[in-house]
């Protein structure tokens, strides 16, 4: 069965959500999602002749060839585009065989996939462009004040930022625990009123205390029955990451995410040796060889790959090796319901799974795009063919990014 068309739609949400569609004869089609990145749809356009006309039952060969043809420019956004195509192929394959994706991936270890709610700094994250600049999506009435985004405090627009209060952290933790989530994540790299150097990756004791006070409010609110992790977005030096990690030791964190720049594998080992909780990293990595180095040389205890970046085939391979090396996987995810659902199929099919991220709490139309998929903190894997959900194109069109194709 041949692919006869490759198309995509870009939705403007808290991030750009790029939904890839592959059409086969007789009205059959599959959809998947590609992780955002500058130039993503131009790459999809260039890959189109390499995809149209191929056999949908030749997935491994198709992905191998697409990676081979982009090897001089890979990984990065080329991998994002290829992961979107791979995901659409899985949906198409499942629909053509009448089987859910989790069965094609080898079956499920769990029927209900545990979701963790990304709570940012207790407040809603701005909408961000593919180069992480605050923007005003076409569907909101509010105007974002344009400003240079702080490098030290990932995702914060200093023109708008109010310093997050402990009460904000506490309230968001309570809201998510009440909604049934058994795992949460909060940011440590938040703006403070304290003077700081925006470039030197250092943390003074008073800055650490400012963060600790807010994260303590979370643990006090949720008690020991809900897990929570902390994200640092690659911001600190090895020495300062260790200082912060030790200070957060009393919180019994699920993991301590991206404390230092992601490529610094031996320094990650030093951080892991210096802090009491598991260090997590992986959302910026693409190659199986790099993940292996993270386990072997970096002593990383929790890997956090993104399915919309590396695809399901490599994630399954990574899971096998990581499991043999006693390492857990938590799955990074900032995607729409389409990418989130695809990730859930993958998460159901791997043994060493901790939790799948959900970053969509601040997106008012998340549940409208494909119907609610998260119930009391879990996604249930059903027997419906392919992804098991359908994108409502009428709803999606309302949030289409101006200037981009819509299928
Ligand atoms: Mg992260």
């Amino acid at each position: 069965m041949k692919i006869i068309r490759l198309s995509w739609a870009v939705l403007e949400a808290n991030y750009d959500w790029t939904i890839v569609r592959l059409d086969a004869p007789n009205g059959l089609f599959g959809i998947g999602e590609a992780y955002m990145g500058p130039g993503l749809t131009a790459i999809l356009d260039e890959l189109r002749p390499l995809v149209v006309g191929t056999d949908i039952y030749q997935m491994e060969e198709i992905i191998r060839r697409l990676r081979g043809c982009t090897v001089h420019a890979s990984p990065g956004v080329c991998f994002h585009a290829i992961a979107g195509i791979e995901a659409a192929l899985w949906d198409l394959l499942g629909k053509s065989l009448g089987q859910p994706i989790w069965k094609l991936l080898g079956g499920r270890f769990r029927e209900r996939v545990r979701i963790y709610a990304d709570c940012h700094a207790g407040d809603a994250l701005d909408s961000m462009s593919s180069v992480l600049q605050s923007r005003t999506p076409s569907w909101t009435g509010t105007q974002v004040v344009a400003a240079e985004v702080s490098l030290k405090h990932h995702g914060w627009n200093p023109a708008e930022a109010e310093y997050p209060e402990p009460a904000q952290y506490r309230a968001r933790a309570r809201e998510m625990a009440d909604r049934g989530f058994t795992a949460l994540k909060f940011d440590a790299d938040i703006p403070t009123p304290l003077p700081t150097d925006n470039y030197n990756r250092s943390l003074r004791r008073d800055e650490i205390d400012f963060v600790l006070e807010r994260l303590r409010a979370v643990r006090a609110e949720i008690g020991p029955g809900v897990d929570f992790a902390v994200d640092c977005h690659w911001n600190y030096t090895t020495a300062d990451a260790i200082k912060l990690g030790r200070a957060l030791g009393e919180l019994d964190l699920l993991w301590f995410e991206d404390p230092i720049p992601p490529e610094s594998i031996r320094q990650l080992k030093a951080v892991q040796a210096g802090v009491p909780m598991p260090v997590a990293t992986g959302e910026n990595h693409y190659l199986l060889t790099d993940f292996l180095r993270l386990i072997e040389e970096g002593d990383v205890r929790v890997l956090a790959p993104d399915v919309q970046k590396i695809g399901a085939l490599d994630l399954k391979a990574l899971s096998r090796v990581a499991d043999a090396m006693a390492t857990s996987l938590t799955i990074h995810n900032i995607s729409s319901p389409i990418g989130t659902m695809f990730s859930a199929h993958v998460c159901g099919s791997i043994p060493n799974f901790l939790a799948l991220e959900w970053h969509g709490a601040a997106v008012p139309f998340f549940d409208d795009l494909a119907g609610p998929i998260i119930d009391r903190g879990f996604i249930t894997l059903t027997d419906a063919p392919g992804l098991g959900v359908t994108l409502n194109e009428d709803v999606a069109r309302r949030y289409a990014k101006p200037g981009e194709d819509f299928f």
Side-chain angles (χ1 to χ4, degrees):
M1 187 184 293
K2 303 283 190 203
I3 294 167
I4 58 172
R5 187 164 181 264
L6 163 63
S7 60
W8 54 85
V10 184
L11 312 188
E12 210 171 28
N14 48 354
Y15 304 101
D16 283 350
W17 290 340
T18 301
I19 314 297
V20 177
R21 173 170 166 155
L22 295 174
D23 280 77
N26 305 320
L28 206 58
F29 68 92
I31 55 172
E33 185 163 348
Y35 192 94
M36 69 169 179
L40 173 63
T41 52
I43 295 170
L44 284 168
D45 192 42
E46 292 220 38
L47 293 178
R48 194 188 329 246
L50 303 174
V51 174
V52 173
T54 55
D55 179 354
I56 72 163
Y57 300 115
Q58 282 291 99
M59 184 190 298
E60 291 259 15
E61 194 272 337
I62 293 169
I63 300 308
R64 177 75 176 248
R65 191 155 35 79
L66 293 178
R67 286 191 176 175
C69 292
T70 55
V71 68
H72 62 104
S74 281
V77 190
C78 289
F79 263 49
H80 302 183
I82 295 167
I85 292 167
E86 187 196 315
L89 261 175
W90 281 106
D91 186 36
L92 184 52
L93 194 60
K95 286 173 176 166
S96 80
L97 299 172
Q99 297 294 339
I101 290 170
W102 62 263
K103 281 193 184 176
L104 306 179
L105 289 168
R108 63 190 176 197
F109 288 95
R110 55 197 70 79
E111 188 177 348
R112 295 168 74 236
V113 173
R114 186 195 199 195
I115 307 300
Y116 79 84
D118 190 303
C119 301
H120 194 45
D123 200 358
L125 179 69
D126 282 341
S127 184
M128 310 290 282
S129 75
S130 65
V131 289
L132 301 181
Q133 299 299 295
S134 294
R135 65 179 181 189
T136 306
S138 53
W139 46 268
T140 68
T142 56
Q143 184 67 42
V144 170
V145 180
E148 186 184 339
V149 169
S150 164
L151 294 177
K152 193 167 190 175
H153 310 299
H154 169 87
W156 284 91
N157 179 342
E160 288 210 316
E162 290 174 13
Y163 304 115
E165 291 303 320
Q168 246 171 272
Y169 274 72
R170 183 183 287 273
R172 182 52 66 99
R174 173 49 42 210
E175 178 200 343
M176 291 304 178
D178 286 348
R179 287 170 68 172
F181 289 94
T182 59
L184 313 176
K185 187 169 81 182
F186 285 85
D187 290 351
D189 55 321
I190 51 174
T192 78
L194 304 162
T196 192
D197 184 310
N198 201 23
Y199 294 96
N200 72 3
R201 300 185 181 278
S202 71
L203 281 171
R204 286 197 321 267
R205 182 67 223 192
D206 54 357
E207 292 178 276
I208 290 174
D209 286 343
F210 186 91
V211 175
L212 180 57
E213 187 188 359
R214 280 137 188 85
L215 296 174
R216 266 186 186 143
V218 172
R219 180 54 85 200
E221 184 64 33
I222 61 181
V226 177
D227 285 325
F228 97 96
V230 163
D231 200 341
C232 306
H233 299 101
W234 328 281
N235 272 318
Y236 305 124
T237 67
T238 304
D240 292 282
I242 291 171
K243 273 195 277 184
L244 176 63
R246 284 185 177 158
L248 302 184
E250 65 179 78
L251 301 174
D252 198 13
L253 297 178
L254 188 55
W255 67 76
F256 184 46
E257 184 168 321
D258 284 318
I260 63 170
E263 306 83 8
S264 311
I265 289 179
R266 290 190 180 175
Q267 287 70 31
L268 277 166
K269 183 176 185 175
V271 175
Q272 182 62 85
V275 301
M277 69 289 275
V279 170
T281 191
E283 69 186 77
N284 300 72
H285 290 273
Y286 294 88
L287 305 177
L288 289 177
T289 45
D290 288 337
F291 284 108
L292 275 181
R293 289 183 60 216
L294 286 170
I295 300 172
E296 284 201 310
E297 297 171 31
D299 198 20
V300 170
R301 311 280 164 85
V302 176
L303 291 176
D306 190 308
V307 182
Q308 279 69 47
K309 287 184 171 183
I310 72 168
L313 293 170
D314 272 13
L315 204 134
K316 285 281 289 184
L318 170 60
S319 160
R320 278 183 177 277
V321 174
D323 188 45
M325 298 165 86
T327 303
S328 299
L329 263 55
T330 178
I331 305 301
H332 179 255
N333 171 46
I334 60 168
S335 61
S336 80
I338 301 307
T340 302
M341 197 64 210
F342 182 61
S343 296
H345 282 272
V346 177
C347 293
S349 77
I350 60 175
N352 47 341
F353 164 74
L354 277 182
L356 166 62
E357 183 167 9
W358 178 53
H359 220 296
V363 180
F365 54 88
F366 190 92
D367 284 348
D368 302 334
L369 286 171
I373 58 171
I374 301 170
D375 180 33
R376 301 293 300 163
F378 287 83
I379 292 178
T380 299
L381 299 173
T382 72
D383 281 327
L387 267 180
V389 294
T390 308
L391 179 69
N392 184 328
E393 289 196 15
D394 292 334
V395 174
R397 196 179 292 274
R398 282 180 224 152
Y399 307 104
K401 186 176 183 182
E404 294 278 6
D405 286 358
F406 190 88
F407 300 124

